[in-house]
Amino acid sequence: MMSATSRNAFSFPMLVSGFIAVLVGYSSTAALIFQAAQAAGASPEQIGGWLSMLGIGMGLASFGLSVWTRMPILAAWSTPGAALLATSVQGLTLNEVVGVFVATNALIVLSGVTGLFARLMNHIPQSLAAAMLAGILLRFGIGTFTGLQGNFALCGSMCLVWLLSRRWLPRYAIILALIAGVLVAVGQQAIHFPPHALTLSLPEFIMPQFNLAALIGVGLPYFLVTMASQNAPGIATLQAHGYQPPVSALTGWTGFIALVLSPFGGFSVCIAAITAAICMGDDVDADPKRRWMASAIAGIFYLLTGFTGALIAILLSALPPVLIATLAGLALLATLSGSLQRALVEPEHRDSAIIAFLITASGVSLLGIGSAFWGLIGGMITHLVLSQRPRA
């Protein structure tokens, strides 16, 4: 029987998973943060402060919520929200943009306090949540190997090292693949730091100003995109792995942290989906009840990025995109296969699950909302229609 000490002790795979989750999170979408901040009129020093606040906010949420719930709760910024901001805030002052942050995060807190979001998520069958997650992860699985065409040496060496490690050193497969990729990238001189002159600077308080047109034209779409394309997939990811998270509490606390940090540029703290899945697989720990430690460790890494003035985030974003894509795909292969298995295990749900999977995987965006949301909607409509069929 496992002792209490061993149950509470973290392992090397947990450490690696937490690090990889932060690495993928920062490296894959950090450019969007620069674009959104620049579009809002932030100076280079302010952008450094924004990244610091994001790291601190995601670190506090990831560590605190994981320890509290004993579930692998990982926080992230709203990637679709950042993309929307980067293209929607032109013409607004920096104070008005911060006002949008404050109002949007207040709405997220309200949705958590009222429990409306939780009631909606409770009506989603587990097979649909798993199908949606599989659809999200499909492009990452495909991305594992598409790099072979553009950079065979880098992608091929990582895949080979991962395969051999899975045969003889399965606990270290991902970290060894990362090391192999970094060594090849150094040899290819493919590590490039972004041309952003960030310096160590304290976050700057920016007084919010509330512009009604901006709140309706930018804030409301930002709220809807964040809830539908970030928080909903994040909750569904947890449910697809067999967890029953306190949806209202998670929504309320992540929104509250973002609300407090909004005047300092911490525009978004949400529930992660893709990076969180890295902390939920069997490779992290055989016992699902112990995997929360991986996301708690990720929270510590996030805090490090925040307290170092976002310099670690810049280091991570210097790695070549093919390395990050291959690493993310390898880290998520087990989660992808498990999600597909759970989505299709029940014959009566297979039609609705495959619809949810295909719509999500298609990448279609309607009304500014991403495919994960529409995958859930399509799957739910199919489920509701077919569940009314007369029995043979």
Side-chain angles (χ1 to χ4, degrees):
M1 181 179 294
M2 185 180 294
S3 65
T5 301
S6 61
R7 283 198 304 268
N8 294 324
F10 74 88
S11 62
F12 185 73
M14 294 176 185
L15 180 69
V16 172
S17 297
F19 174 75
I20 297 298
V22 174
L23 171 65
V24 171
Y26 265 113
S27 302
S28 58
T29 58
L32 276 178
I33 305 302
F34 290 115
Q35 293 171 8
Q38 287 175 337
S43 67
E45 292 76 15
Q46 288 170 329
I47 296 175
W50 287 26
L51 283 170
S52 293
M53 284 294 95
L54 288 170
I56 291 171
M58 294 186 297
L60 290 174
S62 299
F63 183 84
L65 294 175
S66 295
V67 172
W68 173 51
T69 63
R70 290 300 196 266
M71 298 180 192
I73 311 293
L74 194 66
W77 56 58
S78 174
T79 299
L84 184 147
L85 291 172
T87 58
S88 304
V89 298
Q90 288 82 2
L92 301 179
T93 67
L94 186 58
N95 302 85
E96 289 172 338
V97 172
V98 171
V100 170
F101 297 168
V102 172
T104 301
N105 288 316
L107 279 177
I108 293 174
V109 172
L110 183 63
S111 70
V113 171
T114 59
L116 176 62
F117 184 59
R119 289 194 290 273
L120 291 174
M121 293 302 299
N122 285 337
H123 290 289
I124 298 175
Q126 294 294 310
S127 58
L128 293 190
M132 187 210 64
L133 177 58
I136 293 173
L137 299 183
L138 179 63
R139 67 183 180 91
F140 289 89
I142 295 173
T144 308
F145 308 105
T146 53
L148 290 169
Q149 182 174 348
N151 193 332
F152 183 84
L154 178 57
C155 182
S157 63
M158 292 180 68
C159 292
L160 179 61
V161 168
W162 178 85
L163 180 61
L164 296 177
S165 300
R166 288 288 294 174
R167 174 63 178 84
W168 286 288
L169 296 168
R171 290 165 59 91
Y172 306 99
I174 295 298
I175 192 64
L176 290 175
L178 171 61
I179 292 172
V182 170
L183 291 176
V184 174
V186 169
Q188 295 178 338
Q189 298 182 339
I191 298 179
H192 304 291
F193 295 97
H196 302 284
L198 295 187
T199 58
L200 286 171
S201 58
L202 293 175
E204 176 185 342
F205 178 85
I206 301 170
M207 180 63 67
Q209 292 181 359
F210 300 100
N211 179 317
L212 182 59
L215 295 180
I216 297 174
V218 180
L220 187 57
Y222 177 52
F223 167 75
L224 294 174
V225 164
T226 297
M227 296 300 290
S229 300
Q230 190 69 54
N231 280 335
I235 294 298
T237 298
L238 285 159
Q239 293 174 341
H241 284 83
Y243 298 101
Q244 297 299 321
V247 178
S248 295
L250 296 184
T251 306
W253 275 113
T254 52
F256 176 75
I257 292 172
L259 178 62
V260 171
L261 299 181
S262 288
F264 300 94
F267 70 94
S268 172
V269 178
C270 302
I271 304 163
I274 296 167
T275 50
I278 297 174
C279 298
M280 297 182 191
D282 293 338
D283 291 343
V284 176
D285 196 278
D287 185 0
K289 295 180 179 179
R290 284 171 42 83
R291 296 172 192 166
W292 65 269
M293 285 183 272
S295 55
I297 291 170
I300 295 174
F301 282 120
Y302 272 133
L303 287 172
L304 288 175
T305 66
F307 289 122
T308 55
L311 293 181
I312 291 179
I314 301 303
L315 292 174
L316 298 181
S317 64
L319 297 173
V322 64
L323 188 154
I324 299 301
T326 303
L327 185 69
L330 292 173
L332 291 167
L333 282 180
T335 302
L336 173 58
S337 61
S339 298
L340 286 171
Q341 189 274 331
R342 287 188 293 271
L344 302 175
V345 69
E346 300 180 34
E348 65 272 20
H349 289 166
R350 283 178 185 167
D351 287 338
S352 56
I354 200 66
I355 292 295
F357 168 73
L358 291 174
I359 294 176
T360 303
S362 72
V364 64
S365 179
L366 301 173
L367 303 176
I369 299 176
S371 61
F373 173 77
W374 297 116
L376 279 179
I377 295 297
M380 281 298 297
I381 291 174
T382 306
H383 170 71
L384 291 174
V385 170
L386 296 185
S387 65
Q388 304 302 317
R389 289 181 301 188
R391 295 183 180 274

